[in-house]
Each structure stands twice: as C-alpha cells, then as structure tokens.
C-alpha cells in the first residue's frame, strides 16, 4: 500500500492506495485552529497512528516542501516552519511504519499524473478539475459562495502524490 501526504501546518492531506492502486482512504487533518507547533504535530501523529491500525503501508511519498521564495508567497519564517513540520511528520511516518518516506516535488507529481497547468491558471484549481474528471471517488463540497472547501485542495494534492508514487514505483 502507498501513503501519499501533502503536509502543511494548516491542513495535511492524506491518501492511501491499495495494491491495485485504488484509493482506499482520502482525508485530511485540519490543524488551523491549533496555534502550537507541537499540538499540530500531535494531531497529525494521532491520525497516522489510527491509520496504521487499518493500513499496512509499504511506501510513503510526501510532497516536497518549497525550497525557494516566490514573490507574493511564503516568507522565510513560513518556509522554515513548513520544512520543520514536514520533517517531523516524515519522522513520525518512519516511526509508525518503519518505512523511509520519499519526496516528490508538486510539479513533478502533477507531470507524472499527466496534469498540465496552463500559463496563468492556478495549479490547485486545475488539479481539482482534473481529479473531478478522472477520479470517480473524488468529490468535493462547496462553500455557500460556490468555492471549493479548502481541505479538498490538500486531499487532491495527496492523491496526486500517491498516484505519482505509483508511477515512480513502476519505473523502478
């Protein structure tokens, strides 16, 4: 089984694929209301421990955290915190399943899945549309204003990471 993670200090997306590469679990951990780094970590850890009771994970793939600045995006402090959180959750995965996580960049994962982001379009919106069109089990809910609820973006990214992992593993 493959575990795909989109780790973030606000919402962490989780996807599990079975031996047939079917989605058997797709959910999220919302830590936006928790202010303490360690409380956020504990909440994700508790979810992963529960998952480990049900799914014998053999491969773990994590969306690689951002490595550089982009104007108008994350600050150095945010990138540092995200990188630390990514490392701690990766360690938790290793501790729980005794499987060393591997990392894949979001751009590479999307490319492996055949998702092309047209210039000027938002990647997250394109990914949602792609999954709605191509993954029967993936459905989203909308806010009263007609926007996709925030956690579905993270769930979608975790699917893309897991699907990319399955393709990477086929090439090995």
């Amino acid at each position: 089984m493959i575990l795909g993670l989109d780790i973030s200090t606000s919402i962490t997306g989780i996807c599990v694929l079975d031996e047939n590469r079917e989605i058997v679990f797709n959910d999220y951990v919302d830590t936006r209301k928790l202010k303490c780094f360690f409380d956020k970590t504990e909440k994700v850890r508790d979810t992963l421990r529960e998952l480990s009771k049900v799914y014998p994970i053999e491969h773990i793939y994590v969306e690689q955290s951002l490595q550089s600045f982009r104007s108008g995006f994350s600050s150095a402090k945010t990138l540092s915190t995200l990188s630390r959180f990514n490392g701690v959750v990766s360690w938790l995965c290793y501790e729980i399943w005794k499987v060393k996580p591997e990392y894949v960049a979001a751009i590479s994962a999307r490319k492996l899945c055949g998702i092309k982001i047209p210039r000027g379009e938002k990647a997250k919106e394109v990914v949602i549309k792609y999954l709605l069109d191509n993954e029967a089990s993936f459905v989203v809910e909308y806010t009263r204003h007609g926007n996709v609820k925030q956690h579905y973006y993270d769930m979608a990214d975790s699917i893309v990471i897991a699907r990319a992992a399955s393709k990477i593993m086929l090439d090995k």
Side-chain angles (χ1 to χ4, degrees):
M1 297 191 122
I2 299 170
L3 174 64
L5 293 172
D6 173 35
I7 300 170
S8 169
T9 54
S10 56
I11 300 172
T12 295
I14 304 169
C15 178
V16 176
L17 301 181
D18 68 11
E19 315 63 52
N20 300 316
R21 308 304 195 241
E22 297 296 324
I23 297 171
V24 292
F25 183 87
N26 185 220
D27 207 352
Y28 67 100
V29 181
D30 190 342
T31 54
R32 290 177 290 188
K33 291 183 179 171
L34 301 173
K35 298 303 172 205
C36 173
F37 181 90
F38 298 101
D39 293 341
K40 291 173 182 279
T41 303
E42 284 182 334
K43 187 166 184 182
V44 173
R45 180 202 60 204
D46 293 346
T47 301
L48 294 175
R49 281 187 178 158
E50 288 301 312
L51 211 58
S52 74
K53 295 174 185 175
V54 181
Y55 301 107
I57 301 299
E58 301 164 294
H59 306 279
I60 301 171
Y61 279 76
V62 175
E63 183 178 291
Q64 193 173 54
S65 56
L66 293 173
Q67 302 295 312
S68 60
F69 297 104
R70 287 172 43 202
S71 69
F73 288 89
S74 301
S75 67
K77 181 180 178 190
T78 301
L79 289 178
S80 173
T81 302
L82 179 58
S83 188
R84 281 188 307 140
F85 195 68
N86 198 317
V88 170
V89 173
S90 294
W91 170 254
L92 290 171
C93 287
Y94 178 75
E95 187 175 64
I96 292 167
W97 283 285
K98 301 300 182 226
V99 173
K100 294 177 185 173
E102 297 192 45
Y103 302 88
V104 60
I107 293 171
S108 300
R110 290 191 294 261
K111 186 175 180 181
L112 283 165
C113 292
I115 303 171
K116 294 178 179 31
I117 310 299
R119 183 178 228 87
E121 290 195 32
K122 293 181 179 179
K124 290 197 175 283
E125 300 295 335
V126 174
V127 168
I128 290 283
K129 182 176 180 351
Y130 177 87
L131 291 177
L132 288 171
D133 292 345
N134 295 285
E135 291 282 351
S137 66
F138 185 73
V139 293
V140 300
E141 295 176 57
Y142 298 90
T143 66
R144 63 178 182 208
H145 301 292
N147 300 315
V148 173
K149 288 188 175 182
Q150 196 62 44
H151 61 268
Y152 287 103
Y153 293 109
D154 303 281
M155 291 170 62
D157 286 343
S158 71
I159 293 171
V160 171
I161 294 299
R163 289 271 179 234
S166 70
K167 293 185 185 307
I168 290 167
M169 290 167 39
L170 286 175
D171 291 342
K172 285 186 178 182

